[in-house]
Amino acid sequence: MTFRCRNVLVLAAALVAESSIASPPNQTALVPASDQAAGIASLWMAMLVGGCLIFVAVMLILALGLWRARRQEHRLSHLASRNLVIAAGVAVPLAVLIALVAGSLFLGNNISSRPPDGALHIEVIGWRWWWEIRYRDSQGELIATTANEIHVPVDRPVRLSLTSEDVIHSFWVPNLHGKTDLVPGQTNSSWFTARRAGTFHGQCAEFCGTQHALMGFRVIAQSAAEFETWLAQQAQPARRADSPMLRRGREAFVSAGCASCHVIRGVTPPALANAVKTDSKNPLSADVRSLSKARTAARDKPVPAPDLTHFGSRLTLAAGTRPNTAGHIGGWISDPQGIKPGVLMPPTMLEPGELTALIGYLQSLR
Amino acid sequence: MSQVTANMPESASSAPSEQATAELNRTWASPAGFFGWFTHVNHRKIGFRFIMTSLVFFVLAGVLALLMRLQLITPENSLMGPELFNQLFTMHGTTMMFFFAVPIMEGLGIYLVPLMIGTRDMCFPRLNAFGYYVYLIAGIVLYLSLFLGMAPAAGWFAYVPLANDMFSPGKGMDIWTTMITFIELSALTAAVELIVTIFKQRAPGMSLDRMPLFVWAILVMSFMIVFAMPTVMVGSILLMLDRTLMTQFFVVASGGEPLLWQHLFWFFGHPEVYIIFVPALGVLSAIITTFTHKRLFGYTAMVLSLVAIGFVSFGLWVHHMFTTGLPHLGLSFFTGASAMIAIPSGVQIFCWIASLWGARIRFATPMLFVLGFFAVFVIGGLTGVMVASIPFDMQVHDTYFVVAHFHYVLIGGAVLPLFGGIYYWYPKATGRLMSERLGRWSFALIFIGLNATFFPMHQLGLEGMPRRVYTYLETMGWGNLNLFISLSAFVLALGFGLTFLNMWMSRSRGTPAGPNPWDADSLEWATDSPPANYNFRHIPVVRSGTPLWDDAIANERQFVSGLRNDRREVLVTTLVDAEPQAVVILPQPTIWPVLLAVAVSIGFIGTIFSPWGFWLGFFLSFWMIVGWLWPRRPWQEN
């Protein structure tokens, strides 16, 4: 049948088109780097093979049926029709589906079970349009806060607590695991065990407004020793400004208004995020009218922004959008709307000297 | 009332006088002129308007899709900013789902069902007209908001809290919630009307087991609308109250629940997909029956499959929520149900294959679209079973894999059959056949275009590209595939364009069709093309599931006589066996439906801007309903 050939050609053309593309394998479900992603990738391969077989079989049956009539009519008897429908329309699909559902539920149960003891606990809080990351020790004490970059040790289970303070986001690192939503008012959990070192890309997967597209982050899987060193360093307060240039940069950070949203531990007062959180603790006591005022006010006041205490140690800025280099930092400070239109960070006009000092200071925060 | 048997051609004694026919034609005529247009209540007029209006929305939403593809053609493209892109994809989804797919299926039903069951009009003609004007006004207001730059931008699914006034200020989401409530109102009126017409107005002898499968499909669709649409109306009204009257249903800080919205929305949203798909199954059955020239194999199995799909589709909604943190055990039921719905679909597909097997088929354009359906829909169905798996869905949910999946299902499962149906029934509506040559080109371009556009999206999704992104970074490596997809989208658009061109040109240039150009079996082909105002000169009596073929073999037709010519009488029959029961007099053309629709619109749209709009709309509507229901004696009119 010309019809089927055309279809096969299209499929082949699409496959050729795809295979010729060398994509960096750091945001793909097809190159798993954890137990969980590997399980899902195997399930996908099984379903892909099975799906192709079923598709070809159905097309062949259809083609054969049409081919039978090329010279003269050659209809199926009632009995043969019935057998075809029962076998191909009911029995085979039923068997395939039972196997698939069983396998899928088995895998799903493994993935969604509780993580083993001794898992590393990381909190992820979704904001428009960046990720707040908090490390806690086994007693639940806060060790370090960072943003848009998660470091994890290889071969140790990592437990994620996921929530949001504004709209629904979804946490997704395809190489490490499927996604889990960050829903305001509830804390979801997910866990994975990375099996090889590397830098993996993640991205928000639930539409969350204007800058949903550029709400990315990095997950860096590294050896346990490297990870401990990194975490210990992140737990420190910010590096002191020990030269006149750095001090000038630090002053610019405060005087230009950056400090009204961003925190640098040891330099600026505690996070605004905490203030907002206590606000929303007991809203039920307020009547509707004051609630509406509070909501209008909340819309206008500055929102919490990434903790910059160790900004200089990060790979990217603007939630995975630009590499963390002096030029990009300068561009982001002076014109964030040009890079991510609609982002909540306002542009900041600084004298060239001040800007250079500020960039130098931010880069020094390692 | 009596039954009359007539030989074919009709014998002289039973042939009606020309005078009586002219009188009947006058009785059922729709007034001419611009103002007359607003008083039409005839089902063919209203159904035709539904179909044409939804095709206009199809083109508009298609243009929006092409604009989005232009933006995504290269990484970090600066063609448009995120605000506009987010409006475009919100409008694309909203239009395709609410303003194209459902209304066009309703329109097909409204146009064809009375013809297929052998009656002269639907049971509530004025309600029919009201539903159309509500739909038209909702669509116009929504598109005005786009052209005024205040369109909704929170997605067609409008997830809260993003859709709350705190995160989506401005009037866009207010317009969205209001128009969604509005369009569902229109869908409900059409559904109620179709159900009653199908149950009570079938020609004598058309018992339920002789009803064409298309009519069964429309019946199942209508019941699904009745049960699904109210939940999204409840949801959108709650959201509207949150936004305008400061209620707190979805405001987390006050104990509101974001997932409540998702449950309400998807309890409607999943059946919605099948509301679109089920009538398309009916179209396929009609075309395959005609082109194989034999009643389909497994009529009972097909009907049971349609009904089963209707029921099971209400048990799938949570598979849109696999990543929201609900417990795995609860989710697993929905994996089971999602897999289960593949069985009735499989039964239907193999009943069709068994019917096609070894049959001498004329490969006219409608049949090409049917064959295209098999290839495309099977792929969409297979990926549908894949995403029913919770762990796999966690990877591909909200990625381009899912975009690929549902475009395969909706274009393959609904749009291809629909376009086949357009080629198939166009001669009935216009009296002329569409061009086969253009039809083949159109099919080829659509088939190639849709596979080239949507197949690579599977790959993009697995490679980590999420949905609803206005741009992507060059380092992601998605550029080449996106370029290929964007170019293919234009091939697809060209294919659809050729069919529209064909529709336009064939109006005057097509080959005259005659009453039954395809030698089909069902009653709509027993009357003229296009049918006269009264549809059937005599109400036929049905004695089998393929009445036209069996009448031809028996070389006689049976009619009911005794309906009066001077007023709009239709025959009411019993629900199961379709035995004559009563005669009902239908209302004349009237202006009140359009006036009521305008009054209700003033209420709904006014409420967006001021609470007084509600009161104004309420009192205006009250007076319009008084006018509508003003007692009169229909037998004294004319």
Side-chain angles (χ1 to χ4, degrees):
Chain A
M1 297 280 92
T2 54
F3 164 73
R4 210 175 64 79
C5 292
R6 192 181 296 150
N7 190 41
V8 169
L9 282 178
V10 170
L11 293 178
L15 285 172
V16 170
E18 279 152 25
S19 59
S20 64
I21 288 153
S23 73
N26 49 14
Q27 184 169 326
T28 166
L30 302 173
V31 187
S34 74
D35 295 347
Q36 286 68 18
I40 298 174
S42 321
L43 177 67
W44 155 245
M45 282 316 292
M47 293 194 301
L48 177 65
V49 172
C52 288
L53 287 177
I54 293 172
F55 176 74
V56 170
V58 174
M59 289 302 109
L60 278 180
I61 293 174
L62 177 64
L64 194 65
L66 297 176
W67 184 247
R68 292 284 282 173
R70 70 197 180 281
R71 294 225 175 75
Q72 63 185 41
E73 197 154 283
H74 208 292
R75 295 197 194 241
L76 281 187
S77 69
H78 184 82
L79 193 67
S81 302
R82 201 192 66 186
N83 291 344
L84 175 68
V85 173
I86 290 177
V90 180
V92 173
L94 203 60
V96 171
L97 289 172
I98 287 174
L100 176 64
V101 169
S104 152
L105 292 185
F106 181 74
L107 177 65
N109 204 38
N110 273 345
I111 284 178
S112 64
S113 60
R114 302 180 66 82
D117 290 339
L120 174 69
H121 184 198
I122 302 174
E123 280 178 8
V124 180
I125 301 164
W127 295 96
R128 289 177 304 159
W129 290 277
W130 61 281
W131 308 84
E132 183 174 345
I133 315 293
R134 293 180 180 175
Y135 286 81
R136 291 193 184 270
D137 65 17
S138 49
Q139 273 76 48
E141 288 297 309
L142 186 65
I143 305 172
T145 303
T146 178
N148 303 327
E149 192 167 305
I150 303 176
H151 287 241
V152 296
V154 171
D155 292 332
R156 179 177 166 193
V158 176
R159 178 164 71 94
L160 300 166
S161 298
L162 306 155
T163 192
S164 164
E165 291 287 337
D166 42 42
V167 301
I168 300 177
H169 305 277
S170 193
F171 182 91
W172 187 35
V173 195
N175 299 69
L176 294 174
H177 202 340
K179 54 192 73 66
T180 304
D181 294 352
L182 292 78
V183 183
Q186 73 182 54
T187 303
N188 287 339
S189 60
S190 168
W191 69 280
F192 63 85
T193 311
R195 289 301 179 195
R196 67 178 165 85
T199 301
F200 306 107
H201 292 217
Q203 190 166 355
C204 179
E206 181 61 80
F207 180 62
C208 56
T210 317
Q211 271 303 335
H212 164 60
L214 298 177
M215 183 174 166
F217 59 100
R218 298 282 186 276
V219 176
I220 293 143
Q222 52 199 174
S223 72
E226 282 172 334
F227 170 73
E228 291 303 336
T229 314
W230 175 84
L231 187 59
Q233 180 231 348
Q234 295 287 313
Q236 300 296 316
R239 204 189 119 166
R240 289 167 53 99
D242 48 13
S243 76
M245 190 66 174
L246 294 183
R247 275 194 290 277
R248 194 178 166 199
R250 191 184 67 191
E251 275 153 28
F253 178 79
V254 176
S255 64
C258 310
S260 60
C261 298
H262 290 280
V263 171
I264 296 179
R265 272 172 284 150
V267 175
T268 53
L272 237 167
N274 294 331
V276 168
K277 268 190 166 171
T278 39
D279 262 8
S280 60
K281 274 284 153 54
N282 55 357
L284 285 172
S285 59
D287 65 48
V288 168
R289 204 170 285 275
S290 65
L291 193 63
S292 99
K293 274 187 197 146
R295 281 162 66 184
T296 318
R299 203 181 329 183
D300 299 333
K301 77 178 167 197
V303 292
D307 183 310
L308 299 180
T309 310
H310 297 285
F311 174 77
S313 71
R314 293 181 200 153
L315 295 174
T316 66
L317 58 91
T321 306
R322 291 285 182 270
N324 192 358
T325 60
H328 285 298
I329 298 172
W332 177 245
I333 291 171
S334 14
D335 185 21
Q337 301 295 329
I339 297 169
K340 289 171 73 167
V343 75
L344 302 180
M345 175 161 156
T348 308
M349 286 302 126
L350 291 172
E351 310 233 331
E354 260 187 319
L355 184 62
T356 316
L358 179 55
I359 294 169
Y361 173 65
L362 289 173
Q363 286 190 306
S364 79
L365 296 173
R366 298 203 148 264
Chain B
M1 189 174 315
S2 61
Q3 286 193 3
V4 177
T5 305
N7 291 329
M8 291 168 62
E10 291 171 358
S11 63
S13 61
S14 69
S17 72
E18 299 227 340
Q19 200 183 356
T21 307
E23 185 184 16
L24 187 63
N25 207 24
R26 269 199 311 282
T27 303
W28 288 92
S30 300
F34 178 75
F35 292 104
W37 194 86
F38 291 100
T39 66
H40 291 184
V41 290
N42 177 279
H43 79 94
R44 280 188 293 110
K45 301 274 183 202
I46 301 297
F48 189 74
R49 285 181 204 174
F50 261 107
I51 293 170
M52 295 315 290
T53 311
S54 46
L55 285 178
V56 169
F57 283 119
F58 179 66
V59 172
L60 288 172
V63 170
L64 300 184
L66 289 180
L67 289 174
M68 287 192 282
R69 283 318 317 174
L70 280 178
Q71 161 70 11
L72 293 174
I73 200 164
T74 58
E76 297 175 70
N77 196 355
S78 57
L79 179 70
M80 63 181 79
E83 286 89 359
L84 181 58
F85 188 89
N86 294 347
Q87 290 185 11
L88 292 188
F89 81 71
T90 301
M91 290 291 286
H92 173 75
T94 303
T95 310
M96 283 296 190
M97 297 301 275
F98 294 110
F99 290 87
F100 161 65
V102 175
I104 201 164
M105 296 303 177
E106 290 164 1
L108 267 190
I110 290 170
Y111 192 97
L112 289 170
V113 161
L115 290 168
M116 282 189 162
I117 63 176
T119 187
R120 286 177 175 162
D121 204 341
M122 298 183 74
C123 52
F124 313 124
R126 294 176 295 186
L127 192 62
N128 220 355
F130 171 72
Y132 172 73
Y133 292 115
V134 163
Y135 160 53
L136 182 67
I137 293 170
I140 289 174
V141 170
L142 195 67
Y143 270 82
L144 277 181
S145 80
L146 178 66
F147 295 129
L148 296 175
M150 51 197 264
W156 86 281
F157 44 92
Y159 272 12
V160 292
L162 181 61
N164 285 348
D165 57 339
M166 183 155 170
F167 300 109
S168 296
K171 296 294 179 202
M173 281 315 296
D174 295 313
I175 290 171
W176 186 88
T177 54
T178 310
M179 289 309 109
I180 291 312
T181 312
F182 220 46
I183 183 81
E184 305 309 3
L185 187 66
S186 159
L188 283 170
T189 62
V192 167
E193 174 136 35
L194 284 163
I195 291 171
V196 179
T197 304
I198 292 171
F199 274 161
K200 296 305 292 178
Q201 281 181 225
R202 298 196 308 278
M206 187 185 276
S207 50
L208 285 182
D209 60 341
R210 290 175 184 166
M211 212 161 77
L213 282 165
F214 178 81
V215 180
W216 269 109
I218 293 290
L219 183 65
V220 171
M221 171 195 85
S222 304
F223 271 105
M224 291 172 71
I225 288 178
V226 169
F227 288 97
M229 298 294 181
T231 61
V232 73
M233 287 177 79
V234 167
S236 60
I237 289 171
L238 295 185
L239 181 55
M240 185 160 64
L241 293 175
D242 265 15
R243 292 180 58 91
T244 52
L245 297 179
M246 304 307 290
T247 57
Q248 310 285 311
F249 293 106
F250 304 122
V251 179
V252 179
S254 320
E257 178 52 86
L259 292 193
L260 170 64
W261 168 265
Q262 297 191 17
H263 282 292
L264 285 173
F265 187 81
W266 291 118
F267 188 81
F268 140 83
H270 200 82
E272 163 93 347
V273 176
Y274 288 88
I275 286 169
I276 295 164
F277 174 54
V278 161
L281 296 176
V283 173
L284 291 166
S285 291
I287 295 175
I288 293 177
T289 306
T290 298
F291 282 83
T292 57
H293 211 271
K294 191 169 183 222
R295 199 177 194 205
L296 282 186
F297 171 78
Y299 178 87
T300 315
M302 299 284 272
V303 171
L304 289 178
S305 299
L306 285 175
V307 176
I309 288 175
F311 275 99
V312 178
S313 68
F314 281 87
L316 309 182
W317 82 94
V318 176
H319 76 203
H320 298 269
M321 299 166 64
F322 279 167
T323 63
T324 54
L326 296 171
H328 184 258
L329 183 64
L331 297 180
S332 56
F333 289 100
F334 292 90
T335 294
S338 309
M340 192 157 77
I341 205 156
I343 302 284
S345 309
V347 168
Q348 298 235 350
I349 286 187
F350 280 96
C351 281
W352 288 321
I353 291 182
S355 305
L356 288 168
W357 191 287
R360 298 288 282 178
I361 300 163
R362 197 179 133 211
F363 286 97
T365 311
M367 201 60 211
L368 293 181
F369 279 96
V370 169
L371 293 181
F373 156 85
F374 278 103
V376 177
F377 180 73
V378 168
I379 294 179
L382 287 169
T383 53
V385 170
M386 292 175 188
V387 296
S389 153
I390 299 164
F392 182 65
D393 185 67
M394 289 174 77
Q395 280 289 19
V396 297
H397 178 72
D398 273 333
T399 70
Y400 265 85
F401 189 95
V402 170
V403 177
H405 157 67
F406 70 75
H407 280 97
Y408 264 84
V409 171
L410 287 173
I411 297 188
V415 177
L416 290 183
L418 183 75
F419 272 65
I422 287 176
Y423 280 88
Y424 180 66
W425 279 301
Y426 183 92
K428 180 48 64 184
T430 62
R432 287 174 189 274
L433 288 156
M434 284 169 78
S435 154
E436 275 293 306
R437 206 178 133 90
L438 267 179
R440 281 163 198 275
W441 274 103
S442 173
F443 169 75
L445 287 175
I446 290 174
F447 189 78
I448 293 169
L450 92 89
N451 279 299
T453 305
F454 296 109
F455 197 83
M457 288 187 185
H458 293 111
Q459 179 84 13
L460 270 185
L462 290 165
E463 281 181 3
M465 182 163 172
R467 296 167 74 175
R468 301 157 186 155
V469 291
Y470 78 98
T471 193
Y472 49 94
L473 300 177
E474 196 173 354
T475 49
M476 302 313 298
W478 301 325
N480 290 350
L481 274 184
N482 272 299
L483 174 66
F484 180 74
I485 289 169
S486 291
L487 296 178
S488 308
F490 284 88
V491 177
L492 180 59
L494 183 64
F496 286 127
L498 281 187
T499 289
F500 293 128
L501 180 71
N502 198 349
M503 288 169 76
W504 177 258
M505 285 172 45
S506 303
R507 272 181 334 141
S508 50
R509 291 193 214 164
T511 323
N516 193 358
W518 311 111
D519 190 15
D521 64 309
S522 45
L523 288 182
E524 79 269 30
W525 304 104
T527 184
D528 301 331
S529 306
N533 292 332
Y534 45 74
N535 283 0
F536 296 94
R537 181 63 190 87
H538 296 290
I539 302 303
V541 172
V542 173
R543 290 170 297 172
S544 77
T546 50
L548 264 54
W549 295 338
D550 295 315
D551 286 351
I553 292 167
N555 199 27
E556 65 167 23
R557 273 183 191 166
Q558 289 190 350
F559 300 110
V560 174
S561 68
L563 289 180
R564 277 170 56 169
N565 292 339
D566 57 348
R567 60 189 197 196
R568 297 191 166 201
E569 287 191 349
V570 292
L571 188 61
V572 170
T573 53
T574 56
L575 197 153
V576 177
D577 294 325
E579 284 171 8
Q581 204 175 19
V583 168
V584 165
I585 303 157
L586 294 182
Q588 301 287 321
T590 161
I591 194 70
W592 292 109
V594 63
L595 294 182
L596 179 62
V598 169
V600 175
S601 311
I602 290 172
F604 270 91
I605 297 160
T607 311
I608 297 175
F609 298 96
S610 151
W612 289 105
F614 173 79
W615 295 108
L616 185 62
F618 182 86
F619 285 108
L620 278 176
S621 305
F622 176 79
W623 288 112
M624 299 312 160
I625 293 171
V626 167
W628 181 324
L629 298 178
W630 199 257
R632 71 194 82 197
R633 299 187 175 89
W635 56 91
Q636 288 186 346
E637 287 183 352
N638 281 355

